[in-house]
Amino acid sequence: MLRNLFNDRMMKGQRWLLLAFLILHTCTSFYYISKQNITHDEPQYIEYAKRWLHGHPERLYPLDDSKSPVVAICWIPRIIRQLINPDYKLFDYGRKDQAEGRFMMILFSLLTALYVYWWCKDLYGQRGWQLPLLLLLFDPFFLSYSTLITTDIACGAFLIATLYHFRKFQITDSIKQLIASAAFTGLGIVTKQSLIFLFLLLPILALAGNIIKKTGGLPSFTLIRAKNTVFFLLTVLFVINLAFYFKGTFSALNEYSFNSTSFQSIQKLFSRLTWLRVPFPSSFIQSIDLLKAHAELGAGKSRSTYDGVYLFGEVRMDKGFWYYYLTLFFYKMPLGTLLLILASVIIFFKKFEMTAFVNKYMFVVIPIVFYGIVLSFYNVFQIGIRHLLIIFPFIFIGLGYTFNYLSNRKKVFVVATYAAIIFSMISMISYFPDLLPYTNELIGNKKTVYKKVMDSSIDYGQSDSIANTFRLQNPYYKKPCGKPDTGHYMVSMRELAFSKLNNQKDISWFNKFQPIGLFQHVFLLYFIKEEDFEKLNAKK
């Protein structure tokens, strides 16, 4: 009886601690977001969501390609206000709606946190969730996207939910777990097209577990397995159609007007099959077609949706870098966390057991490797580390392996672990609240960040309005010009990185001078004098 009472109190204490983590994360995110400008992509997400709420999910503009109905959650505050007061109107170009809508996006990061909590408890015991969740919730990368009106956090939330329930289904054969997994798969695909790869990942996980458990051989085909597969696919199909109001569902393939050559080729191939119908809503098919068309078009052209892939001063137009995300991860992950991840990998391989891998860790490790390969080798839109949010929660679940292993080791390892965590927290606080351009201590001189990494990983437009205010208060700071001249200048690191692209002003001459300051970790401040030019000419 005493043991039961102790266990009950411990469980209550764990829940209160979890609640404290979530509340602190929410408060931190809300304060952070109050200091940030609307980023470059958010207006398009917001406007598409508004059209969707009015029953129009069609893709009208090129940048509608990746937009999702899921972010319509950001309109809840405005809907409530409108219900209370039907005559409620704003004349601020939607700024208040955008600001209030960001607060609703926190629900996706909280959903992610709950699944990390449940998953870590399953793998490591009652207290095994504490340190992984603490590091995740207060990671600068995760915090910086926790309330942005985009689909990246939501995508990671739906992937971890899908795989959590799919793993439970593999263990228990519970139809409830199958339904939950299918529903989250559908929501994930509606959120971001990259989750279509789940139709490859889920069979890989199922087959891998079955083959290893049976020590060879493919799983036997059974009627129950076939029924479950059909039921899963129909549920996913239903969720996708429901998300787009079933508009255009079962339209004839010949009725579509495709933009990409790939889809045009498919349409031509099946042109004689006039009876062929597409069981997906037309808006969903449009989104995939537009993404494919933009990939075929490439970067840097007048109709392109992105400038190119940037890394170490090189801009690639036709392809990315296979090490793009590894590099960004290396520079943007807090150094303490990075060392703990390295320790996790080393310990995992050192203590590797096939049985434990299949029963516990396969559903954590394989998705990280799988999507790491997909993003690195099959994604031409390498324009920001935010794409890694799809697998980010799994990395922190994996960190629990290290904490669990070291908890019973020598005190020196425990001290080192906590030292790494504290160092990561201090590193995050040193940037707060300007977390989006965060880079770790491996880049010592923050004025040279753009020479290594750039794009939306550093400058997502979050500081544009603050920079305009700075210029108004300091009118002697001029905008960069293409011709070298003296004076005070405020130069965006993004402009410097992409200055040599077509149709853009070449301001690369600033690279010859040393900036005197850094504003918002995004803008370089210069004071160039006549003697600076003389020194430069003397060196030549």
Side-chain angles (χ1 to χ4, degrees):
M1 184 175 178
L2 287 174
R3 180 179 292 180
N4 291 337
L5 183 61
F6 174 78
N7 289 336
D8 288 343
R9 287 184 176 178
M10 189 177 74
M11 285 296 296
K12 288 181 180 178
Q14 296 288 306
R15 289 171 186 151
W16 280 112
L17 183 61
L18 172 65
L19 182 61
F21 276 15
L22 298 182
I23 291 174
L24 187 57
H25 169 75
T26 302
C27 293
T28 305
S29 295
F30 285 0
Y31 178 78
Y32 154 76
I33 212 65
S34 69
K35 302 295 182 180
Q36 308 298 311
N37 186 40
I38 295 294
T39 60
H40 290 151
D41 286 343
E42 287 179 279
Q44 286 80 26
Y45 281 102
I46 292 166
E47 287 305 307
Y48 178 79
K50 183 167 70 174
R51 295 204 311 268
W52 178 85
L53 284 169
H54 285 90
H56 298 288
E58 299 81 14
R59 315 285 172 168
L60 304 180
Y61 309 105
L63 287 176
D64 284 344
D65 55 357
S66 59
K67 306 307 176 281
S68 169
V70 169
V71 300
I73 194 174
C74 74
W75 284 100
I76 289 178
R78 176 58 187 264
I79 291 170
I80 293 173
R81 287 180 181 273
Q82 210 73 50
L83 289 173
I84 296 172
N85 179 13
D87 296 325
Y88 178 77
K89 291 182 180 180
L90 289 172
F91 301 95
D92 62 349
Y93 302 99
R95 293 190 180 277
K96 187 170 183 178
D97 288 332
Q98 293 171 356
E100 291 183 344
R102 280 178 157 188
F103 294 129
M104 299 304 301
M105 300 303 292
I106 193 72
L107 293 175
F108 293 116
S109 62
L110 296 181
L111 180 64
T112 302
L114 287 175
Y115 275 99
V116 171
Y117 165 75
W118 289 325
W119 208 316
C120 285
K121 278 182 63 179
D122 286 352
L123 296 181
Y124 313 120
Q126 289 297 328
R127 297 183 179 181
W129 61 272
Q130 296 174 4
L131 295 180
L133 190 58
L134 178 69
L135 278 174
L136 172 68
L137 291 178
F138 298 98
D139 177 85
F141 176 36
F142 191 77
L143 266 174
S144 61
Y145 284 91
S146 60
T147 47
L148 295 189
I149 303 176
T150 64
T151 56
D152 300 292
I153 284 280
C155 186
F158 291 141
L159 179 61
I160 192 174
T162 294
L163 295 183
Y164 177 84
H165 292 292
F166 190 71
R167 176 177 176 268
K168 289 286 189 180
F169 170 71
Q170 295 293 309
I171 296 171
T172 64
D173 287 325
S174 167
I175 193 65
K176 291 181 180 179
Q177 299 295 342
L178 182 65
I179 293 171
S181 179
F184 277 116
T185 298
L187 283 172
I189 292 172
V190 168
T191 301
K192 208 172 185 71
Q193 292 81 352
S194 54
L195 282 183
I196 291 175
F197 284 99
L198 275 171
F199 289 125
L200 179 58
L201 176 60
L202 294 180
I204 288 174
L205 289 167
L207 288 172
N210 205 291
I211 290 172
I212 295 170
K213 285 178 182 178
K214 293 188 175 182
T215 63
L218 293 173
S220 58
F221 180 84
T222 64
L223 183 59
I224 293 176
R225 186 173 280 115
K227 286 181 178 178
N228 286 340
T229 302
V230 172
F231 178 75
F232 183 93
L233 293 174
L234 289 176
T235 303
V236 172
L237 185 63
F238 174 77
V239 171
I240 294 173
N241 277 281
L242 183 64
F244 294 101
Y245 309 117
F246 289 85
K247 279 200 166 186
T249 302
F250 291 116
S251 295
L253 184 62
N254 289 338
E255 293 177 7
Y256 281 90
S257 178
F258 291 124
N259 293 275
S260 68
T261 56
S262 301
F263 275 53
Q264 289 170 1
S265 299
I266 294 172
Q267 190 178 46
K268 185 177 180 180
L269 181 65
F270 294 99
S271 59
R272 294 186 179 181
L273 304 179
T274 55
W275 52 268
L276 187 62
R277 303 284 165 167
V278 181
F280 293 97
S282 56
S283 178
F284 177 72
I285 299 298
Q286 278 181 316
S287 68
I288 302 173
D289 171 52
L290 281 172
L291 283 170
K292 191 66 180 174
H294 295 151
E296 291 171 353
L297 177 64
K301 300 180 179 66
S302 58
R303 293 183 294 113
S304 299
T305 55
Y306 64 112
D307 290 330
V309 183
Y310 179 92
L311 206 60
F312 296 119
E314 180 185 354
V315 182
R316 290 186 179 178
M317 301 296 187
D318 55 342
K319 61 179 181 178
F321 303 83
W322 69 264
Y323 49 89
Y324 174 83
Y325 293 103
L326 282 174
T327 302
L328 288 175
F329 190 80
F330 183 73
Y331 284 126
K332 287 187 68 69
M333 181 66 66
L335 203 53
T337 309
L338 204 59
L339 291 172
L340 289 171
I341 292 171
L342 179 61
S344 290
V345 174
I346 294 172
I347 295 170
F348 180 77
F349 281 107
K350 184 179 178 181
K351 299 293 180 181
F352 183 83
E353 292 181 4
M354 185 58 73
T355 303
F357 176 72
V358 175
N359 294 333
K360 290 187 173 184
Y361 308 116
M362 182 178 73
F363 279 76
V364 175
V365 175
I366 291 180
I368 294 174
V369 175
F370 177 85
Y371 268 104
I373 292 171
V374 169
L375 291 173
S376 298
F377 294 96
Y378 301 100
N379 174 34
V380 298
F381 302 108
Q382 293 179 343
I383 51 176
I385 192 175
R386 65 185 187 276
H387 300 152
L388 280 185
L389 284 167
I390 193 172
I391 56 173
F392 209 60
F394 296 94
I395 294 171
F396 287 84
I397 294 172
L399 270 180
Y401 184 87
T402 297
F403 300 138
N404 188 55
Y405 176 80
L406 294 178
S407 61
N408 298 319
R409 295 300 181 271
K410 293 180 181 180
K411 186 176 287 187
V412 64
F413 294 115
V414 178
V415 171
T417 299
Y418 280 100
I421 293 172
I422 293 170
F423 187 81
S424 290
M425 292 297 174
I426 293 173
S427 183
M428 181 273 288
I429 292 170
S430 70
Y431 265 76
F432 192 80
D434 302 315
L435 292 176
L436 205 149
Y438 172 88
T439 54
N440 60 32
E441 291 71 26
L442 293 173
I443 301 180
N445 184 358
K446 301 304 180 181
K447 297 172 188 175
T448 64
V449 164
Y450 73 98
K451 295 181 179 180
K452 297 178 176 65
V453 295
M454 191 25 71
D455 58 50
S456 63
S457 305
I458 304 296
D459 184 359
Y460 207 8
Q462 75 279 359
S463 298
D464 287 358
S465 64
I466 302 173
N468 290 334
T469 301
F470 177 87
R471 287 193 177 101
L472 289 174
Q473 295 173 346
N474 302 274
Y476 53 89
Y477 270 96
K478 299 180 287 186
K479 290 186 177 182
C481 55
K483 182 180 179 181
D485 198 1
T486 59
H488 288 84
Y489 291 94
M490 187 179 191
V491 185
S492 162
M493 285 198 283
R494 182 181 179 87
E495 287 183 87
L496 270 178
F498 290 92
S499 67
K500 292 185 178 180
L501 293 183
N502 293 335
N503 303 320
Q504 294 198 27
K505 182 168 51 183
D506 185 1
I507 59 171
S508 57
W509 63 271
F510 281 99
N511 289 320
K512 299 175 182 178
F513 301 92
Q514 292 296 321
I516 61 171
L518 183 61
F519 182 75
Q520 296 288 306
H521 302 283
V522 170
F523 293 90
L524 296 172
L525 304 178
Y526 290 88
F527 178 38
I528 301 173
K529 298 171 283 189
E530 286 288 352
E531 49 263 40
D532 293 325
F533 281 104
E534 293 173 4
K535 290 178 183 178
L536 187 65
N537 292 328
K539 288 181 180 179
K540 291 180 180 179

